[in-house]
Amino acid sequence: MDAHNAGRTARSLELLHSLSYFVPEVEERLVETGLEPGRMTYFAGRSAPMGAVGAGVVTATFFNFSPAAVASIIPRAWSLATPAAIVEARYRAVGEAYVRLLGESVTTSPEMAEAAELASIAARGVPGVEGRPLCAGYTEVEWPDSPHLAFWHALTVLREYRGDGHIAALQTAGLSGLESLITHTATGYGFQKKFAITRRAWTQEQWDSACDSLRDREILDARGELTAEGKELRQLVEDLTDDLALAPWAALGEDGAARLVELATPWRDAIVEAGVFPAGVFGPKVAVSR
């Protein structure tokens, strides 16, 4: 399997991982642990496998969130609920959401068990977690017994492995977290602009200042769109990200990856059709393709 096909496979499965940030079950279960609703359930929920880390670690590993927003929540969240309790509650909530959205006949089906096995082969094929701190945290979570949770866990390990590498690629390109968010949004495949600003907790002034810097570097044009140089830079980032994320998919192989996508595509489409993802998540090019 080459890096391009591996990247395409990862992107086709992404929504089956990221539903965990939008389904109501996750916030409900994490609030039951003592966390406050809203951003706290996201920051603490996603970072909990790393333990009771500080705001700097969460800012570094999440990369494109406002540091001030992270610092307003972390480490205070750990005084309200332990990381272990948060991890348990979050996994339980994702399992509940999968059953609600897909039905028990799917989550207990031979097809789900097969998909979990294939995704697990890829996830266990991660060659090492050096320089991959968020992935490292998830590799230390006990592997779930139920097929649908094992499936989600494997996808999560793969997503965070790819995400850690993506941050390395963005830094290699000389982009800060905010600049990365802006340029990704400008491709038309990232968040829509308003959603990106509010969801990542940046002020309009911070956003505008970073845009000015990108214009000075001839990455954005006067309309806020990517220049030819900006498009080339983003493509280099994506190509390097694919290269850095190849190993686990190569362990699964071309046929295994194709079978995994074949099994999972109807589930992904059903989740999208259920309206899990709010308006503004997808950029215009993704919205058109859907």
Side-chain angles (χ1 to χ4, degrees):
M1 169 173 273
D2 62 32
H4 175 73
N5 286 336
R8 185 171 60 184
T9 299
R11 288 187 291 273
S12 70
L13 298 168
E14 171 76 15
L15 297 184
L16 288 159
H17 153 77
S18 59
L19 67 86
S20 57
Y21 306 126
F22 299 99
V23 291
E25 288 90 344
V26 170
E27 180 164 277
E28 290 168 4
R29 294 293 171 262
L30 293 187
V31 168
E32 289 174 359
T33 69
L35 297 182
E36 297 168 359
R39 285 198 182 104
M40 182 178 283
T41 60
Y42 173 79
F43 288 138
R46 187 179 173 202
S47 65
M50 295 190 293
V53 295
V57 174
V58 175
T59 298
T61 52
F62 288 17
F63 196 60
N64 61 19
F65 281 86
S66 162
V70 177
S72 70
I73 291 168
I74 303 292
R76 185 169 61 88
W78 314 129
S79 69
L80 303 177
T82 66
I86 293 168
V87 169
E88 189 281 328
R90 185 168 180 247
Y91 273 67
R92 178 160 43 90
V94 169
E96 292 170 356
Y98 260 78
V99 172
R100 174 176 63 84
L101 292 164
L102 299 178
E104 196 167 341
S105 62
V106 169
T107 59
T108 61
S109 67
E111 291 78 13
M112 181 62 75
E114 182 183 359
E117 177 61 24
L118 291 169
S120 298
I121 291 170
R124 295 184 192 278
V126 166
V129 294
E130 297 86 351
R132 313 264 185 160
L134 200 47
C135 176
Y138 280 91
T139 62
E140 294 183 356
V141 174
E142 185 176 353
W143 210 276
D145 293 326
S146 57
H148 62 298
L149 265 184
F151 173 69
W152 181 81
H153 175 69
L155 292 185
T156 300
V157 170
L158 291 165
R159 189 261 173 253
E160 301 301 9
Y161 181 78
R162 180 179 176 85
D164 287 335
H166 186 55
I167 291 172
L170 291 164
Q171 290 185 307
T172 300
L175 295 171
S176 69
L178 177 52
E179 290 168 343
S180 301
L181 182 62
I182 290 169
T183 54
H184 185 46
T185 300
T187 67
Y189 291 102
F191 291 148
Q192 292 185 29
K193 178 180 175 180
K194 182 177 179 181
F195 188 91
I197 294 173
T198 56
R199 193 79 179 188
R200 296 304 193 238
W202 296 99
T203 67
Q204 187 65 54
E205 291 74 20
Q206 290 170 323
W207 185 277
D208 292 343
S209 177
C211 285
D212 288 342
S213 176
L214 290 167
R215 290 189 188 95
D216 290 343
R217 294 161 59 189
E218 299 184 347
I219 294 172
L220 292 183
D221 63 20
R223 296 173 297 177
E225 298 178 359
L226 290 172
T227 63
E229 291 83 356
K231 291 176 182 177
E232 182 179 359
L233 186 66
R234 283 299 322 191
Q235 188 59 54
L236 287 171
V237 166
E238 296 306 318
D239 290 344
L240 181 54
T241 299
D242 286 346
D243 289 341
L244 292 172
L246 172 60
W249 295 107
L252 178 60
E254 195 88 44
D255 291 343
R259 176 57 176 163
L260 177 58
V261 171
E262 178 186 13
L263 288 165
T265 296
W267 308 333
R268 179 199 65 194
D269 292 347
I271 287 167
V272 172
E273 289 301 316
V276 167
F277 302 97
V281 171
F282 302 109
K285 293 182 182 178
V286 176
V288 169
S289 69
R290 285 176 58 217

